[in-house]
């Protein structure tokens, strides 16, 4: 997928992904590719929050695609909506090179603690 991490924290993370190699047959970024970068970024952020002795696992993902990207890069910006003891919720906004929103994804992760 060619995902490159730019910034990683529980509260705010950024990654980017090339359009090339992530298109559907008609030439747009595949909707699943938006979900891959979003779930990757949201899960890494949730695991940073979970800390040692715990693991965050995705339990829900919701995506709304509002614009097509056909060239350049997809930038994904992840912000925490909720950082709890057993659950996190992050919103990931994917934009094109001009900063136009193309997809909005929300991921919920369950934090599983070691017994």
């Amino acid at each position: 997928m060619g995902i490159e991490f730019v910034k990683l924290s529980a509260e705010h993370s950024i990654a980017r992904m090339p359009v090339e190699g992530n298109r559907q047959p008609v030439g747009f970024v595949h909707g699943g590719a938006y979900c891959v970068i979003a779930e990757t970024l949201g899960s890494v952020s949730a695991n940073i929050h979970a800390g040692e002795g715990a693991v965050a696992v995705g339990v829900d993902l919701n995506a709304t695609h509002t614009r097509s990207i056909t060239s350049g890069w997809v930038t994904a910006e992840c912000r925490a909506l909720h950082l709890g003891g057993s659950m996190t919720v992050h919103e990931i906004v994917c934009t094109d090179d001009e900063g136009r929103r193309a997809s909005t994804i929300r991921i919920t992760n369950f934090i599983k603690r070691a017994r």
Side-chain angles (χ1 to χ4, degrees):
M1 308 276 323
I3 295 171
E4 299 175 359
F5 296 105
V6 176
K7 174 184 177 181
L8 293 173
S9 76
E11 297 83 11
H12 181 228
S13 295
I14 301 171
R16 64 188 211 136
M17 173 182 72
V19 169
E20 185 65 37
N22 292 305
R23 290 186 185 101
Q24 57 177 260
V26 297
F28 307 139
V29 171
H30 195 289
Y34 291 122
C35 293
V36 168
I37 193 171
E39 184 156 6
T40 300
L41 202 52
S43 293
V44 169
S45 297
N47 274 285
I48 291 169
H49 172 70
E52 289 287 322
V55 63
V57 295
V59 295
D60 183 64
L61 184 79
N62 174 278
T64 302
H65 311 305
T66 52
R67 176 181 296 276
S68 300
I69 301 178
T70 57
S71 64
W73 289 82
V74 175
T75 299
E77 189 164 0
C78 173
R79 294 194 183 274
L81 301 178
H82 174 76
L83 296 173
S86 62
M87 183 174 289
T88 64
V89 180
H90 287 86
E91 180 182 66
I92 301 91
V93 174
C94 295
T95 58
D96 65 11
D97 288 334
E98 286 77 45
R100 298 175 296 188
R101 185 182 298 231
S103 187
T104 305
I105 299 101
R106 189 190 70 241
I107 184 171
T108 302
N109 280 278
F110 172 72
I111 299 175
K112 185 174 171 88
R113 306 251 173 232
R115 292 183 191 207

